Amino acid sequence: MKANLLSNKAVKQIEIIKVKESSSFPYTDDISVEEPLEIRVSYGAEGKKESKNISVTMRTPGNDAELAAGFLFTEGIISAREQIKNIYSPQAECSRNSENIVIVELTEGFVPELMKADRNFYTTSSCGVCGKGSIESIRTVSTFHNHTKEDTEVSLEILYQLSEKLQSFQNNFSATGGIHASGIFDLEGNLLALREDVGRHNALDKLIGHTLSAGLLPLHNTILVLSGRASFELIQKAAMAGISIVAAIGAPSSLAVDLAREFDITLLGFLRDNRFNIYHSGSHFNIENLL
């Protein structure tokens, strides 16, 4: 069963450090793959085809044609399956990453409502999404990326308390059980601010918006605690705010780990029950000082 799972593009293995109680050890971990998928639509008469880049969405590879079709339908760009002629990946351009591009060819005579696509979607140009080395269309360089980070010291006792503290301050979660939270703590484990939302990205945007308005950026000597998993977008937002340590109650994705390495952000996952995994230990964060 394990071998079959790992043959899937949705999972990859990386070497991490597991920390439990007061000890640590190397471990080979399975993480979910997260990659960008560019969705394009092609429409018009044969020989007069028009093409538009609709969205770049982060996803786990697999069932991409279904994802593209479902996206167009739920966004009101199409209203019936008969309006789709074909769904395919391009062969000529950026072939090594063509699997990250899906083109939805619409039926001749059908004109999509593309105005509905011009709202909050990532859009791309030229080659579009060509892998981790050239996805500038969705990676924004942080204003604080080149700032020197001070050495960070956090005790194990404080780290182990963070998940419980976050949940204790989640008023809406207690009431509904379905709200995500992002909380900023200082290095002594004191909560500085917390925001909740049904969307994990919205919760973090609210939190960073608060710290921006309060003049608290960059958040170098703080710990961002996420109530769920750590995705690419959340690490991107953390980098924008100059956050040095991100601790997630759930798992990170593969692209979240890659981005944490690029921005030298310490990334911890599965922070609960006196244990956590270190997916990247930033240059400012020394695990040996914890144990």
Side-chain angles (χ1 to χ4, degrees):
M1 181 68 73
K2 183 84 165 179
N4 291 337
L5 177 63
L6 292 180
S7 65
N8 194 315
K9 292 182 179 180
V11 178
K12 70 180 290 187
Q13 289 187 320
I14 66 171
E15 300 302 315
I16 67 168
I17 299 173
K18 271 189 175 289
V19 178
K20 187 172 183 179
E21 301 294 345
S22 58
S23 63
S24 67
F25 53 93
Y27 185 78
T28 300
D29 194 34
D30 298 337
I31 62 173
S32 297
V33 171
E34 182 186 34
E35 292 184 353
L37 177 70
E38 180 179 326
I39 301 173
R40 304 177 184 173
V41 293
S42 173
Y43 59 96
E46 201 63 41
K48 297 182 179 180
K49 292 282 187 182
E50 295 188 50
S51 180
K52 183 176 178 67
N53 300 340
I54 297 297
S55 169
V56 174
T57 184
M58 305 308 296
R59 100 296 191 198
T60 297
N63 306 109
D64 291 336
E66 295 175 353
L67 172 59
F71 177 85
L72 295 183
F73 180 78
T74 57
E75 293 299 329
I77 296 170
I78 64 172
S79 58
R81 63 179 182 179
E82 290 79 12
Q83 294 164 349
I84 296 178
K85 180 179 180 180
N86 191 19
I87 302 178
Y88 60 94
S89 293
Q91 299 301 317
E93 57 179 290
C94 297
S95 58
R96 69 186 180 88
N97 284 293
S98 62
E99 67 272 14
N100 281 344
I101 301 173
V102 167
I103 299 175
V104 181
E105 183 181 3
L106 302 179
T107 306
E108 290 183 26
F110 172 68
V111 179
E113 297 187 54
L114 295 180
M115 289 298 294
K116 294 184 178 180
D118 294 332
R119 46 193 196 90
N120 297 319
F121 308 137
Y122 294 116
T123 56
T124 61
S125 59
S126 184
C127 186
V129 180
C130 297
K132 298 168 188 173
S134 56
I135 54 175
E136 288 84 0
S137 56
I138 55 176
R139 178 186 291 128
T140 306
V141 177
S142 170
T143 304
F144 310 115
H145 181 42
N146 294 321
H147 283 210
T148 302
K149 296 181 181 180
E150 300 176 4
D151 289 341
T152 304
E153 292 187 9
V154 186
S155 72
L156 275 178
E157 181 182 4
I158 287 174
L159 287 174
Y160 287 148
Q161 293 173 358
L162 293 179
S163 59
E164 192 172 311
K165 282 186 176 181
L166 183 74
Q167 188 169 347
S168 70
F169 285 109
Q170 279 191 257
N171 297 327
N172 290 332
F173 181 84
S174 301
T176 67
I179 300 291
H180 293 286
S182 293
I184 285 287
F185 293 81
D186 65 21
L187 300 182
E188 284 72 47
N190 300 308
L191 179 69
L192 303 179
L194 180 145
R195 294 294 183 270
E196 295 180 281
D197 195 277
V198 290
R200 57 173 60 89
H201 308 124
N202 296 339
L204 184 50
D205 279 338
K206 291 176 181 178
L207 181 63
I208 293 175
H210 163 73
T211 58
L212 173 66
S213 300
L216 300 177
L217 298 182
L219 297 168
H220 285 333
N221 293 315
T222 60
I223 306 168
L224 170 64
V225 183
L226 305 171
S227 63
R229 70 183 187 91
S231 66
F232 173 92
E233 289 96 337
L234 296 181
I235 301 303
Q236 178 194 13
K237 293 176 189 296
M240 288 296 294
I243 294 169
S244 300
I245 303 174
V246 178
I249 308 303
S253 69
S254 62
L255 209 54
V257 176
D258 291 341
L259 196 62
R261 290 170 177 167
E262 178 176 333
F263 283 97
D264 197 30
I265 295 173
T266 295
L267 178 57
L268 313 179
F270 293 107
L271 177 62
R272 55 180 184 263
D273 302 326
N274 285 356
R275 62 183 176 87
F276 58 86
N277 296 340
I278 301 176
Y279 291 90
H280 177 64
S281 180
S283 60
H284 53 280
F285 184 86
N286 190 340
I287 181 60
E288 300 300 329
N289 293 337
L290 294 176
L291 306 175

